[in-house]
Amino acid sequence: MALPDLECRLVLPDDAGPLGRFFQRLVTAGEDRFFHPHPLTVEEAAIRCNYCGKDIYYLLIEAGEIIGYGMLRGWDEGFDVPSLGIAIDPGAQGRGLGRYLMEFLHTSARQCGARHIRLKVYPDNGRARAFYHSLGYEFFDEQNGQLVGILDLEK
């Protein structure tokens, strides 16, 4: 699949405004029901774009516009297994961009030395559960009403 004008990169301080607008689009579309790793606010966008630490925050950009956001977190707290989270702009869903961003995050986690990766998904989010299962995630546990999926990055 060709994905023209697509860039996946780390967030930068200058991205705070556009990332804040991306977060607002997610909230307006109700995506914050399933995706809420932190507040989806303009203020939080500025925090993420100026973040310094071991955790990693990425943007998926198409033709200069943020259409996706991904993260690998938990290293700052000392966890060996990072937690992954992604969000794709509602207007850009259904084009394979989620898979593209997930595979990018898996590669990034491997490059950082991770052997496994985890994520959480609500049981009633069948579309996301099926997607994660198609990527090889296995669900073993439940935490705070969400299923915990683990992917073995060494397979």
Side-chain angles (χ1 to χ4, degrees):
M1 162 185 12
L3 300 172
D5 295 323
L6 202 57
E7 175 186 14
C8 197
R9 65 165 172 80
L10 292 169
V11 297
L12 300 171
D14 288 345
D15 295 321
L19 183 58
R21 289 188 291 280
F22 174 78
F23 286 168
Q24 288 173 336
R25 289 195 307 273
L26 293 177
V27 170
T28 298
E31 297 290 322
D32 56 331
R33 175 174 174 236
F34 293 122
F35 182 76
H36 46 77
H38 51 67
L40 298 178
T41 63
V42 172
E43 295 80 15
E44 190 67 24
I47 290 169
R48 299 297 154 186
C49 289
N50 289 287
Y51 166 82
C52 294
K54 296 178 185 175
D55 296 344
I56 305 172
Y57 299 89
Y58 290 104
L59 300 177
L60 182 61
I61 301 170
E62 183 178 50
E65 183 173 345
I66 297 173
I67 59 167
Y69 173 70
M71 67 193 76
L72 295 167
R73 303 188 326 170
W75 286 311
D76 280 344
E77 289 84 21
F79 293 105
D80 291 329
V81 177
S83 292
L84 179 149
I86 69 163
I88 301 295
D89 189 288
Q93 292 178 6
R95 298 176 33 211
L97 299 170
R99 185 170 298 275
Y100 177 84
L101 183 55
M102 291 288 287
E103 290 173 357
F104 180 89
L105 291 169
H106 294 163
T107 298
S108 180
R110 278 188 204 96
Q111 290 176 338
C112 291
R115 299 167 103 186
H116 297 89
I117 199 163
R118 71 188 294 271
L119 55 72
K120 294 190 299 185
V121 63
Y122 285 99
D124 64 338
N125 190 349
R127 183 176 170 195
R129 280 190 10 246
F131 171 58
Y132 299 143
H133 189 289
S134 78
L135 290 168
Y137 283 84
E138 295 182 37
F139 294 91
F140 296 106
D141 201 5
E142 187 173 316
Q143 183 180 32
N144 299 325
Q146 295 182 63
L147 301 172
V148 177
I150 302 291
L151 177 68
D152 183 344
L153 293 171
E154 296 181 329
K155 283 187 178 178

